[in-house]
Amino acid sequence: MNTSTDVFFLPAGDEQRLCLFHAPAPASAERPRGRVLYLHPFAEEMNKSRRMAALACRALADAGFAVLQMDLRGCGDSSADFGDASWADWQADVRLGLDWLDTRAPGVPQWLWGLRAGCLLASADWGRPLNYLFWQPMTNGKLALQQFLRLKLAAEMASGASKGLMEQMKAELAAGRPVEIAGYRLGAPLALGLEAAKLAPAGAAGRVEWLELSTREDAVLTPVSEQAIKAWQDAGWSVRVQIVQGPGFWATSEIELAPALIARSVEALA
């Protein structure tokens, strides 16, 4: 690899966001093939995915892309606690990252690359032409929130304390109070913003590279994915779908990799 990585804190008002900028290979330094902002998944899935994200960032940089990773507010080494973050904060971070990339690689195609719930955050009208790289996209924020809340249900099930717990947690969030789940304090502004999010087309139509993983050779898209893809196509977006062999690395007990997903992503963008 001939690329370099710059680790820095990007000012965000009175706070800061940890960023890693993967500069494009020297041959593309003056005119990158594109600029890419990576949006990580939710909570512990972010930590499980760090290795895969880092490898993919370097591969894209080797291919001539300028790539920015950012820990969103309350995540990783960025300012604030997870429980203090809101969905609006994360949307502001996306704009911050896009604006920063404007200064480093102006005039080239811009991509938002999301993993899992990061795709929900990515899909909005950002007031500029954008393309999307979706890794295992979640199409509905309500389902994403339910899956996260179920982690507490699973932890309480053995003691028999899970009865009515889902309704209790939802009531707490609806009342504006945080809940503790799997070591994370989830605040109402983040939970309710996630719950309302949908993977829906917005803004000027561009390209979507939709990649899903499966360990089965005969895997097919779920009806939910097919319905979401059709909505993007009906809105004029060019959507290319690939199912790639590999493990669900964001949820495995040990850190796992899906090299084919990285290779297909580089090919898709290049």
Side-chain angles (χ1 to χ4, degrees):
M1 296 183 179
N2 297 316
T3 57
S4 62
T5 302
D6 182 19
V7 182
F8 64 99
F9 283 101
L10 182 61
D14 295 333
E15 299 180 346
Q16 54 190 10
R17 305 289 180 260
L18 178 71
C19 293
L20 285 78
F21 177 62
H22 304 264
S28 304
E30 293 187 7
R31 180 68 177 179
R33 302 176 75 171
R35 44 195 159 146
V36 182
L37 175 60
Y38 169 66
L39 302 180
H40 58 71
F42 196 78
E44 192 60 22
E45 290 188 1
M46 169 189 171
N47 295 323
K48 290 294 184 74
S49 304
R50 277 199 183 276
R51 180 62 177 160
M52 266 294 293
L55 292 173
C57 286
R58 292 168 192 161
L60 287 167
D62 283 342
F65 290 87
V67 187
L68 181 65
Q69 289 178 266
M70 176 191 294
D71 286 357
L72 300 170
R73 185 172 193 257
C75 300
D77 291 315
S78 288
S79 298
D81 293 325
F82 186 85
D84 297 326
S86 69
W87 194 254
D89 290 337
W90 287 4
Q91 290 176 320
D93 286 347
V94 175
R95 295 187 183 93
L96 185 67
L98 290 172
D99 290 343
W100 188 88
L101 277 171
D102 284 344
T103 68
R104 296 300 297 260
V108 298
Q110 193 159 41
W111 291 81
L112 271 179
W113 159 31
L115 170 59
R116 301 274 288 158
C119 300
L120 290 168
L121 182 62
S123 59
D125 185 357
W126 302 106
R128 66 184 73 201
L130 281 173
N131 303 307
Y132 290 103
L133 171 62
F134 290 152
W135 276 12
Q136 201 72 25
M138 305 190 84
T139 61
N140 188 304
K142 184 176 183 179
L143 179 59
L145 178 62
Q146 287 178 339
Q147 289 181 359
F148 187 62
L149 296 180
R150 286 193 190 111
L151 294 177
K152 190 174 184 71
L153 287 180
E156 299 291 340
M157 194 168 294
S159 64
S162 63
K163 185 177 180 180
L165 185 57
M166 178 67 80
E167 291 72 20
Q168 179 184 339
M169 289 188 291
K170 289 182 177 180
E172 289 292 303
L173 292 170
R177 294 186 289 269
V179 295
E180 295 284 343
I181 300 170
Y184 290 86
R185 183 170 64 91
L186 176 64
L190 181 56
L192 299 179
L194 172 63
E195 185 177 38
K198 295 184 182 300
L199 192 70
R207 289 172 55 194
V208 176
E209 297 291 342
W210 184 297
L211 280 70
E212 296 194 13
L213 276 172
S214 177
T215 55
R216 296 175 50 184
E217 294 184 0
D218 60 346
V220 296
L221 292 173
T222 65
V224 172
S225 290
E226 290 181 342
Q227 184 178 5
I229 290 166
K230 186 178 185 301
W232 284 79
Q233 292 172 330
D234 289 346
W237 291 75
S238 174
V239 184
R240 182 167 57 170
V241 181
Q242 300 183 65
I243 300 179
V244 184
Q245 285 284 305
F249 55 86
W250 56 87
T252 53
S253 57
E254 302 294 332
I255 300 300
E256 294 198 38
L257 303 177
L261 180 62
I262 297 174
R264 292 285 187 89
S265 299
V266 173
E267 292 169 3
L269 269 62

